[in-house]
Every structure is written in C-alpha cells, then in structure tokens.
Amino acid sequence: MSLELETLVVQYEVEATILGELGEPMVGERKECQKIIRLKSLNASTDTSSLARKVMEECRLIHPSKLREVEQLLFYLQNRKHANERKRISPRDFKPYAGVELDEEASINSIDEYVELLYEDIQEKIRGATLIFQLARNPDNLEELLQNETALGALARVLREDWKQSVDLATTITYIFFCFSSFSQFHGLVTHFKIGALCMNIIEHELKRYDLWQDELQKKKKEFSDNQNLKKEHEKSFRKYQSLLIKQEQLLRVALCLLLNLAEDTRTELKMRNKNIVHMLVKILDREDEELLLVVVSFLKKLSIFLENKNDMAETFAVEKLARLIPSEHEELLSTTLRLLLNLSFDTSLRSQMVQAGLVPKLSSLLADEGQRQLSMCILYHISMDDRFKSMFADTDCIPQLMKMVFDCGEEKMEAELISLCINLAANKSNAQVICEGNGLKMLMKRAVKMKDVLVMKMIRNLSQHNGPTKSLFLDHVGDLAAQISEEEAEEFVIECLGTLANLTIADLDWALVLKEYNLVPFLKDRLKPGSAEDDLILEVVIMIGTVSMDDSCAAMLAKSGIIPALIELLNAQQEDDEFVCQIVYVFYQMVFHKATRDVIIKDTQAPAYLIDLMHDNNAEIRKVCDNTLDIIAEYDEEWGKKIQTEKFRWYNGQWLEMVENRQMDEAGEPFLYGDDGESFVGNGDILERPDLFYSADGIIGADGAISPEFYTDFQNGELGQTGYLSRY
C-alpha cells in the first residue's frame, strides 16, 4: 500500500487456479493489480482515524490488521498536502502595493515587454514588476520564468539598486523571488542572485527606519503636549506614520517568508545567524500585525532547535515579548507561539523567564481550550519540574482544571502529559491541599485501586508526604492501600502503595491493627530476603518497616517475627548501597526506642556491632543515624556504652595521631617535634608506644585505663582545647 497526492494506492495480487477432479491444482495464474482510493474529503481538519475506518469498510482488499498503517499514511498525506497547499497558495495571499492601477492581465508571452519597463522610471518599474508578479503567483509559470535569465537578472538588479527609493518596488520584486523560494528546486536561483543577503540588509535598514519614526513621533508628541496648536500637525504625522508602517510591515513579512524558505538549508541558516537574524526577529515581536508576527514566531521556532539560537533568544529576552501574545484570537499565531515556548522550556533559565513573565496563569487559562491544551500542559510540565515554581500553581485555576480532566477520563487511559504534570504538582504542599479539596483524594484513590493505575498511585504517594491536614485525610484510605500489598498485584503498583503507607506517620494510626488485619508481616519479612524481588520493592519494604516501628506494639510484633536478623542479612548484602544502609539503620533507630525491641537488638543480635562499624561511614546521613542510635544504646546498656565510647575515642585519637605524624613529615625542623634530648619522636620507635602523647596528664585516661566521662562530654561539645582534634570526616 502506497500513497500519492490525495490518493491511496492499494497493491494486491489476484491468483486464479483451475482444480482437477480430485481437487488438486491443475492450472494457475497470478496477476499483480492495484486499486486507487481517491480521498476527496481529505483536508487539514479531517479526522484521520475516522477516515481510515471508512477506507477499510469500503475497500475489503485491505486486511483489518492494516488499520494502524492506513491511519499513519493518511496522517502523513494530510500534513504533506496541507504543507504543499500552503506553499502554493501563500504567494496569492499577498497583495503588492503597486504605485499604479493595472487594467490589464499579465501574459507570459509578454514577459519581454514587462522587462523593458524595469529600465524606465520608478513608477514604470513598479508596473513592470507587478505584471511579472502576477505571472509568478501561478506556480505553472515559474519554470518558464526560470528560462528567462534576462528578466530575473533585471529584477535582481533593480531590487539591489532601487530598493531604498521605493518600498512598493522593493516589496513587489521581493514577492516575485518569494514565489520561487516557495519551492526547494528554485532555491539555487534565489541564492545565485544573492537575494537572501539583500533581504537581510533590507530588514536591518527598515528596523532602523522604524526606530527613527518612533523617535520623531515622541518628539512631536512632546511638542504637542506643550503647544495645543500643533495638534493637527501631530495627527497628520501619525496618519502618515501608520501608512508607512503598513507598507513596511508588508515588506518585512515577505522578506522574512523568503528567508524562512531559504533556511531549509542549515548552511544558509547559519549565515543568517551570523548576521544577527535572531536579534532582528525578537525586535519585530514588538509589532502588532498578526500576520507579520506569525512569520516571525514561525522563524524563531525553526531557529530555536539550535543551542546558539536558543541562547540568543535568552539574551534578548524573547520570552517576555512572546508572553504578550498569549492568549491570542489568532489561532495559528497562538499555536505557533506555544510551540516555540515549548522548545525554549527545555532550558532552565528560560523557564525562569517564563515564570517571571507571568506565563503560569496564562497557560493555565489555556487548558480550557482543547486545541491548545496539550501544548500548554507540556510547557507547564516543564515549569513544574523546578521545585521553586511548583507553589505558583496553587494560586491559579490550573489544578481544578487538571482534576476535572483526570476525572473526565473515566476508565480510559490518561494522557501522559496530564498525569505527569499532576504528579509533579502533588509534590508541593500547597498544591496537595488544593488537589485534595472536596472529594479529590477519594476520587483519585477510587481510580487508582479500580484501574490499578501506577501513575495515579504515584501522584497519591506524593500527596501523602505532606504533614498537616492533607496527611490526616489518608486515615480513611489506609485499609484500601494495605489491601493492595500482596503477591497477586503488579510489583510497580505495590511499590507505590507501600511508599504511600510508609509516608503516613500519623499519631492516631494503629499500625499493629493494620498489620494483623491484612496479614502484612509475612509479606514484609519474605521481601527482605536478598534477591526475593526488585531492589526498589525491597527498599520500600524497609522504609515501611521503619514507619510502623514507631508504634511500640508493632515494633515488638516485628521483632518476634525475626525481622531484625533478616535486616542484618540484607544489610550485609546491600552494604555498598547507601540508601539501603541508611534506611535499615533507621529501622534500628526506631526499634531501640521501645524496651521490648531494644533488648532484642542489644542482647540477641549483632546490630550494635554493625552500627559501630558504620559509625565512620563516608555518608553523612548514615553517620548521623548511627550516632543517634548508638547514643540510645549506650544510655541503656553499660557494656555496649563502654565499647561505643572506647571506639569513638580510639577513632578520634587515631585521627589526631595521624595529624601529628603528617606534621612530623612536613615540618621535620620544628622544635615541638623533638624531645628534650633533641631526638625526634619518630626516632624513638613507634609513635603509638609513647604514652605521654595521650591525654593522661590532663586526667582523660584514669589509672584503670578507662576514658573519663568528662572528656567524652567535652568532646561532644567540641571543647577539646588547643591540642584536641575534631575530625570533619
């Protein structure tokens, strides 16, 4: 199956076979055929899915399995057809500002006569150029015009020499070359006459003229305010300015259209960039003519895919100027502006400019427009990735509209852009409160549980992390969440449910009852075995155990089930994973708060020994949790307390001794590195055998060799004195 303009071509084979008396094939013939399906109703607004089904119904030759392929072909054909039509029709849309009224129809046979007019005065040149433009507007005449090198050379010469003398003449000739630029096969011709470079010069010159007009108007406005007699003169000047502005913007529009066509070649586009095309385009964004703005924004959108151009747009504050175009009654201009902003929204600094320009509420209001909804959501999604900007959504109508879209989906699959934006916004506390208003949380839970929707549950998990009234709302849904924790459910879904439950640090929640009613302890214990599930699920189980261990009876229940040895085994297996280590140590921290589990950890397991080993881990969070846990153990168990204190002192003392050794090596000539007899400490054997280097003189180590409690207290308070050493490990 292939496609041509406005048709689908179905290629198939017909095979005819003559069977014998016993049904065996006797004679066969195969013939290749094709059927042409003409698509008369195909246009830019056609629903390609519906049309594909209609094609399938009317053409039984196409197998039902080919429906998706037919849709794709129609979609491609629709866009190609629409693009071609736009290029062929766009020259006809322009109306040149000729200096004379033409009472004749142009004829291709009279081209030589029209060329002769180009050698006369300005008015005749305009007349000749206008007649040639009438011919060029018809694509069928372009090939013949191409053969007339004299005509094209004359047009290029007149444009180069006389464009400053007449805007009408410059506009009309630029139109002619624009007609050629609308087709790629004629780009060589336009490049040959260097029309692109000339257009760049014209645009630059016209922008300078515009600035001069503005300055002149401001002067006359000031004079008018000082002298009422100049009112008529000011009004006359303003009318003249408006007339000139209309002509200038028509010239800018056609010149930019020509350059946009030539920019299909990236080498040509690079030349334009080197001549500051981005700065020129951004400057034109201040204009009011919507058709001109459409060309400018389309050009910027094309340029924005390159890093250098994107950086130029950031430097010229293009986003601020684009923001004023939203919303717009001009649908195509609005859509193109949104596409440009979407390209720019991949840059962090430009997203910041979008927020400063007030685009969040503007884009939020466009969510109600079905035609612009998806683009608006994509831009808002990019903005929502930055935590700095999440809270700004709470003060707009964005969240209520998103929630309505979520609920309107029913049981259908939700758009990725919609749920992704919701997930990001749910991570902010203010947004979470707006989302949960009314029956928001209840409806989300209903959809998530019924549809087993992982992404909606991820959104719910983000909502559950916020303390305050939002978290309290989850009390009504603990049972629904706990019921999903089973081997029958998909692992991804279980992970999100576990993560949500683990966030519910609510004082009124009876975790022991939840664990018993839904028989969760065996599930949690089984998943602690290394390799029993994916690491993500095992980690969520550990976090869940840490949360429920805040409850005294829960901690005792888990300890009796043998979960602590399972955690130690997991700690051994995952000792290189900081996240696992930190969460397991946190479980121990929670359990040592309760007497029943504290005794189990201290007397029946080797958990304190593992904590001592981790006391000096490279990860600051792990060190912090270990220290807090060991402090509690030391407070309740004297034997472990001495071991912990000795280990802490040994480690810090070792750090100090290492510092002394390093200073000996670096500053061997310093007096304090030598004893009274002038011998170096290093020369007197192992430095660790020198008792006078320890703190016995200050009463730190007693006669029995034990560390004095006063020293440890001073050490914790950072008061070791000048000879002490505080590590920043």
Side-chain angles (χ1 to χ4, degrees), residues 465-494:
Q465 69 183 330
H466 306 295
N467 293 323
T470 302
K471 187 168 288 190
S472 301
L473 294 173
F474 279 85
L475 280 171
D476 296 333
H477 305 289
V478 172
D480 292 331
L481 291 165
Q484 310 307 312
I485 313 301
S486 67
E487 296 180 0
E488 287 75 25
E489 298 294 347
E491 191 169 282
E492 288 184 348
F493 189 67
V494 173

Short mmCIF file of all heavy atoms in Angstrom, two decimals, residues 465-494:
data_model
loop_
_atom_site.label_atom_id
_atom_site.label_comp_id
_atom_site.label_asym_id
_atom_site.label_seq_id
_atom_site.Cartn_x
_atom_site.Cartn_y
_atom_site.Cartn_z
N GLN A 465 3.05 12.65 51.40
CA GLN A 465 4.29 13.03 52.08
C GLN A 465 4.18 14.33 52.86
O GLN A 465 5.07 14.68 53.64
CB GLN A 465 5.42 13.16 51.06
CG GLN A 465 5.26 14.33 50.11
CD GLN A 465 6.35 14.39 49.06
OE1 GLN A 465 7.46 13.96 49.33
NE2 GLN A 465 6.05 14.91 47.89
N HIS A 466 3.06 15.07 52.69
CA HIS A 466 2.94 16.39 53.31
C HIS A 466 2.26 16.30 54.68
O HIS A 466 1.16 15.76 54.81
CB HIS A 466 2.12 17.31 52.41
CG HIS A 466 2.66 17.40 51.01
ND1 HIS A 466 3.89 17.95 50.72
CD2 HIS A 466 2.15 16.99 49.82
CE1 HIS A 466 4.12 17.88 49.43
NE2 HIS A 466 3.07 17.30 48.86
N ASN A 467 2.93 16.83 55.70
CA ASN A 467 2.35 16.86 57.03
C ASN A 467 1.20 17.85 57.08
O ASN A 467 1.09 18.75 56.25
CB ASN A 467 3.42 17.25 58.06
CG ASN A 467 4.49 16.19 58.18
OD1 ASN A 467 4.20 14.99 58.12
ND2 ASN A 467 5.75 16.61 58.35
N GLY A 468 0.35 17.67 58.11
CA GLY A 468 -0.77 18.58 58.26
C GLY A 468 -2.09 17.95 57.86
O GLY A 468 -2.25 16.72 57.88
N PRO A 469 -3.04 18.77 57.46
CA PRO A 469 -4.39 18.27 57.15
C PRO A 469 -4.43 17.27 56.00
O PRO A 469 -5.27 16.38 55.98
CB PRO A 469 -5.18 19.54 56.81
CG PRO A 469 -4.14 20.57 56.46
CD PRO A 469 -2.96 20.24 57.29
N THR A 470 -3.53 17.43 55.03
CA THR A 470 -3.54 16.51 53.87
C THR A 470 -3.26 15.08 54.31
O THR A 470 -3.95 14.14 53.90
CB THR A 470 -2.49 16.95 52.84
OG1 THR A 470 -2.76 18.29 52.42
CG2 THR A 470 -2.52 16.04 51.63
N LYS A 471 -2.25 14.90 55.16
CA LYS A 471 -1.89 13.55 55.60
C LYS A 471 -3.01 12.91 56.41
O LYS A 471 -3.25 11.70 56.33
CB LYS A 471 -0.59 13.59 56.40
CG LYS A 471 -0.04 12.23 56.76
CD LYS A 471 1.38 12.31 57.29
CE LYS A 471 2.36 12.63 56.19
NZ LYS A 471 3.77 12.48 56.62
N SER A 472 -3.72 13.70 57.20
CA SER A 472 -4.81 13.16 58.02
C SER A 472 -5.93 12.58 57.16
O SER A 472 -6.64 11.66 57.60
CB SER A 472 -5.37 14.26 58.93
OG SER A 472 -4.36 14.77 59.78
N LEU A 473 -6.10 13.10 55.95
CA LEU A 473 -7.16 12.59 55.06
C LEU A 473 -6.92 11.14 54.67
O LEU A 473 -7.86 10.44 54.27
CB LEU A 473 -7.24 13.45 53.80
CG LEU A 473 -7.68 14.92 53.97
CD1 LEU A 473 -7.54 15.66 52.65
CD2 LEU A 473 -9.11 14.98 54.47
N PHE A 474 -5.69 10.67 54.79
CA PHE A 474 -5.36 9.31 54.38
C PHE A 474 -5.82 8.26 55.38
O PHE A 474 -5.77 7.06 55.08
CB PHE A 474 -3.86 9.18 54.15
CG PHE A 474 -3.41 9.70 52.81
CD1 PHE A 474 -3.13 11.04 52.63
CD2 PHE A 474 -3.27 8.84 51.72
CE1 PHE A 474 -2.72 11.53 51.39
CE2 PHE A 474 -2.87 9.32 50.48
CZ PHE A 474 -2.60 10.67 50.32
N LEU A 475 -6.24 8.69 56.57
CA LEU A 475 -6.72 7.72 57.56
C LEU A 475 -7.88 6.88 57.01
O LEU A 475 -8.01 5.70 57.33
CB LEU A 475 -7.17 8.45 58.83
CG LEU A 475 -6.06 8.88 59.80
CD1 LEU A 475 -6.62 9.77 60.89
CD2 LEU A 475 -5.38 7.65 60.39
N ASP A 476 -8.70 7.49 56.17
CA ASP A 476 -9.85 6.77 55.60
C ASP A 476 -9.45 5.79 54.51
O ASP A 476 -10.28 5.00 54.06
CB ASP A 476 -10.87 7.77 55.03
CG ASP A 476 -11.46 8.67 56.10
OD1 ASP A 476 -11.51 8.24 57.27
OD2 ASP A 476 -11.85 9.81 55.77
N HIS A 477 -8.20 5.84 54.07
CA HIS A 477 -7.80 5.02 52.92
C HIS A 477 -6.69 4.03 53.24
O HIS A 477 -6.19 3.36 52.34
CB HIS A 477 -7.35 5.94 51.78
CG HIS A 477 -8.38 6.96 51.39
ND1 HIS A 477 -9.53 6.63 50.72
CD2 HIS A 477 -8.44 8.31 51.61
CE1 HIS A 477 -10.26 7.73 50.52
NE2 HIS A 477 -9.61 8.76 51.05
N VAL A 478 -6.31 3.94 54.52
CA VAL A 478 -5.23 3.02 54.90
C VAL A 478 -5.60 1.58 54.55
O VAL A 478 -4.78 0.81 54.03
CB VAL A 478 -4.91 3.15 56.41
CG1 VAL A 478 -3.95 2.04 56.84
CG2 VAL A 478 -4.32 4.51 56.71
N GLY A 479 -6.82 1.22 54.81
CA GLY A 479 -7.27 -0.15 54.51
C GLY A 479 -7.19 -0.47 53.03
O GLY A 479 -6.73 -1.56 52.64
N ASP A 480 -7.64 0.47 52.18
CA ASP A 480 -7.58 0.26 50.73
C ASP A 480 -6.14 0.07 50.26
O ASP A 480 -5.85 -0.76 49.40
CB ASP A 480 -8.21 1.45 50.00
CG ASP A 480 -9.70 1.54 50.23
OD1 ASP A 480 -10.33 0.49 50.45
OD2 ASP A 480 -10.24 2.66 50.19
N LEU A 481 -5.24 0.86 50.85
CA LEU A 481 -3.83 0.76 50.46
C LEU A 481 -3.22 -0.56 50.94
O LEU A 481 -2.51 -1.23 50.19
CB LEU A 481 -3.05 1.94 51.04
CG LEU A 481 -3.36 3.31 50.43
CD1 LEU A 481 -2.81 4.44 51.31
CD2 LEU A 481 -2.77 3.41 49.03
N ALA A 482 -3.51 -0.92 52.19
CA ALA A 482 -2.95 -2.16 52.75
C ALA A 482 -3.45 -3.38 52.00
O ALA A 482 -2.72 -4.38 51.86
CB ALA A 482 -3.30 -2.27 54.23
N ALA A 483 -4.67 -3.31 51.50
CA ALA A 483 -5.25 -4.45 50.78
C ALA A 483 -4.53 -4.72 49.45
O ALA A 483 -4.64 -5.82 48.90
CB ALA A 483 -6.74 -4.21 50.53
N GLN A 484 -3.80 -3.71 48.95
CA GLN A 484 -3.10 -3.90 47.67
C GLN A 484 -1.74 -4.57 47.84
O GLN A 484 -1.11 -4.95 46.86
CB GLN A 484 -2.89 -2.53 46.99
CG GLN A 484 -4.13 -1.65 46.90
CD GLN A 484 -5.30 -2.36 46.25
OE1 GLN A 484 -5.17 -2.98 45.20
NE2 GLN A 484 -6.46 -2.28 46.90
N ILE A 485 -1.30 -4.72 49.09
CA ILE A 485 0.03 -5.29 49.36
C ILE A 485 -0.07 -6.81 49.33
O ILE A 485 -0.35 -7.47 50.34
CB ILE A 485 0.60 -4.82 50.72
CG1 ILE A 485 0.44 -3.31 50.87
CG2 ILE A 485 2.05 -5.25 50.86
CD1 ILE A 485 1.13 -2.51 49.80
N SER A 486 0.12 -7.37 48.17
CA SER A 486 0.04 -8.83 48.03
C SER A 486 0.85 -9.27 46.82
O SER A 486 1.22 -8.46 45.97
CB SER A 486 -1.42 -9.28 47.87
OG SER A 486 -1.95 -8.81 46.64
N GLU A 487 1.11 -10.57 46.76
CA GLU A 487 1.89 -11.11 45.65
C GLU A 487 1.13 -11.08 44.34
O GLU A 487 1.74 -11.12 43.26
CB GLU A 487 2.31 -12.55 45.97
CG GLU A 487 3.23 -12.67 47.18
CD GLU A 487 3.62 -14.11 47.46
OE1 GLU A 487 3.17 -14.98 46.69
OE2 GLU A 487 4.37 -14.34 48.42
N GLU A 488 -0.20 -11.02 44.40
CA GLU A 488 -1.01 -11.06 43.18
C GLU A 488 -0.94 -9.75 42.40
O GLU A 488 -1.14 -9.74 41.18
CB GLU A 488 -2.48 -11.35 43.53
CG GLU A 488 -2.76 -12.78 43.95
CD GLU A 488 -2.27 -13.06 45.37
OE1 GLU A 488 -2.15 -12.08 46.15
OE2 GLU A 488 -1.96 -14.22 45.68
N GLU A 489 -0.67 -8.64 43.08
CA GLU A 489 -0.66 -7.35 42.41
C GLU A 489 0.67 -7.11 41.69
O GLU A 489 1.70 -7.68 42.05
CB GLU A 489 -0.88 -6.21 43.43
CG GLU A 489 -2.22 -6.27 44.14
CD GLU A 489 -3.39 -6.05 43.21
OE1 GLU A 489 -3.18 -5.60 42.07
OE2 GLU A 489 -4.53 -6.32 43.63
N ALA A 490 0.63 -6.26 40.68
CA ALA A 490 1.84 -5.91 39.93
C ALA A 490 2.84 -5.23 40.86
O ALA A 490 2.46 -4.43 41.71
CB ALA A 490 1.49 -4.99 38.76
N GLU A 491 4.11 -5.56 40.67
CA GLU A 491 5.15 -5.06 41.58
C GLU A 491 5.22 -3.53 41.59
O GLU A 491 5.37 -2.92 42.65
CB GLU A 491 6.50 -5.65 41.17
CG GLU A 491 7.59 -5.42 42.19
CD GLU A 491 8.84 -6.23 41.89
OE1 GLU A 491 8.85 -7.45 42.18
OE2 GLU A 491 9.78 -5.63 41.35
N GLU A 492 5.11 -2.90 40.43
CA GLU A 492 5.17 -1.43 40.36
C GLU A 492 4.06 -0.79 41.18
O GLU A 492 4.27 0.22 41.85
CB GLU A 492 5.08 -0.96 38.91
CG GLU A 492 6.33 -1.25 38.08
CD GLU A 492 6.23 -0.67 36.69
OE1 GLU A 492 5.11 -0.25 36.32
OE2 GLU A 492 7.24 -0.65 35.97
N PHE A 493 2.87 -1.39 41.11
CA PHE A 493 1.74 -0.86 41.85
C PHE A 493 1.94 -1.04 43.35
O PHE A 493 1.65 -0.14 44.15
CB PHE A 493 0.46 -1.56 41.39
CG PHE A 493 -0.81 -0.95 41.93
CD1 PHE A 493 -1.19 0.32 41.54
CD2 PHE A 493 -1.61 -1.64 42.82
CE1 PHE A 493 -2.35 0.90 42.03
CE2 PHE A 493 -2.78 -1.08 43.31
CZ PHE A 493 -3.15 0.19 42.92
N VAL A 494 2.46 -2.18 43.75
CA VAL A 494 2.71 -2.47 45.16
C VAL A 494 3.75 -1.49 45.71
O VAL A 494 3.64 -1.02 46.85
CB VAL A 494 3.17 -3.93 45.36
CG1 VAL A 494 3.60 -4.17 46.80
CG2 VAL A 494 2.06 -4.90 44.98
#
